[in-house]
Amino acid sequence: MREANRIVSRILDELGENVRPGVPTMLFEEISRARCEEYGVRPAFLGYQGFPFALCCSVNEEIVHGFPSKDRILAEGDIVSFDFGVVYHGFYGDSARTFGVGKVSQEAEKLMAVTRESLYKGIEQAVPGNNLYDVSAAVQSYVEEFGFGIVRRFVGHGIGAHLHEKPEIPNFVPKGMSGVPLKAGMVLAIEPMVTVGGHEVEVLEDQWTAVTKDRSLSAHFEHTVAVTSDGPKILSLSE
Ligand code: MG
Ligand code: MG
């Protein structure tokens, strides 16, 4: 899983290096597929429940599951979220990052910074003896401090020999439910999706692209994290 996630991270690094005004979002799909071939890995999302691309590429008010397109040209001030996964020797890697295109608004900068930091607040709680919802609570309280919205419809997940395993990892604490105890050896994909406005989601006619109902900006950061007796180990890092 370390190797699968290292490859995901390297590819996300390269996608980020290519984010600039004037490029079509299909470029990122092409890079992702080419690197999968080079590394000898399978893109995890291509064909997953019928998803038609290797990469989820979501711009501005798109939260997640956006389609790369040759007609969608990135413009200065956009933000673009890449969610990417691979399968390596039967094991999955999954990670996401949001990038600014050229110079973005202060609000967009703040949204990206808060979303990214909320992920790290959640990761800190991914230790044996804690409860799963300690992770959720840490993400939620950090995000809400800034008055941003937390998407509820999509959640993180366990990961391993399947892309989506139990448990679901909400980025908020579900009322009246208790989370499972965290144990060494669990691997979690923690993935806050945060909006400048409300948490409500709409899915576009393509049946995949999830956008904020109020069309406010949305950011998404995700890491695959192993729970170990030495604390959380982020697997989706490049080196
Ligand atoms: Mg993902
Ligand atoms: Mg995921």
Side-chain angles (χ1 to χ4, degrees), residues 45 83-84 94-96 157 191 220 222:
F45 305 162
D83 189 355
F84 189 62
D94 187 8
S95 183
H157 49 94
E191 49 178 320
H220 181 200
E222 175 180 30

Side-chain angles (χ1 to χ4, degrees), residues 197-208:
H199 69 81
E200 284 184 281
V201 171
E202 211 173 281
V203 176
L204 300 183
E205 284 153 30
D206 63 23
Q207 304 296 319
W208 279 102

Side-chain angles (χ1 to χ4, degrees), residues 154-194:
F154 303 107
V155 296
H157 49 94
I159 180 169
H162 302 277
L163 177 58
H164 293 128
E165 298 184 354
K166 286 188 174 170
E168 289 195 348
I169 309 172
N171 296 300
F172 58 94
V173 179
K175 283 214 170 63
M177 291 171 65
S178 50
V180 295
L182 296 180
K183 292 181 196 152
M186 289 179 166
V187 185
L188 309 174
I190 304 171
E191 49 178 320
M193 295 168 212
V194 177

Side-chain angles (χ1 to χ4, degrees), residues 16 36 58 70 72 80 83 88 120 124 133 161 165 173 184 188 192:
C36 281
S58 308
K70 62 180 173 35
R72 183 72 194 249
V80 58
D83 189 355
Y88 176 80
Y120 284 93
E124 278 173 21
Y133 291 167
E165 298 184 354
V173 179
L188 309 174

Side-chain angles (χ1 to χ4, degrees), residues 4 7 9 28 30 46 58 72 93 106 115 125-128 141 162 165 188 210:
I7 290 166
S9 180
F28 305 102
E30 290 162 2
L46 182 63
S58 308
R72 183 72 194 249
Q106 276 188 351
T115 309
Q125 298 300 318
V127 294
S141 64
H162 302 277
E165 298 184 354
L188 309 174

Side-chain angles (χ1 to χ4, degrees), residues 2-13:
R2 182 70 179 90
E3 198 50 35
N5 279 285
R6 199 193 314 269
I7 290 166
V8 170
S9 180
R10 282 186 195 147
I11 294 173
L12 285 172
D13 289 344

Side-chain angles (χ1 to χ4, degrees), residues 26 39-40 54 56 66 88 94 105 112 118 148 161 176 184 204 212 217 223:
M26 191 56 85
Y39 289 123
C56 293
Y88 176 80
D94 187 8
S105 69
M112 292 190 289
S118 77
F148 289 138
L204 300 183
T212 51
L217 289 180
H223 271 309

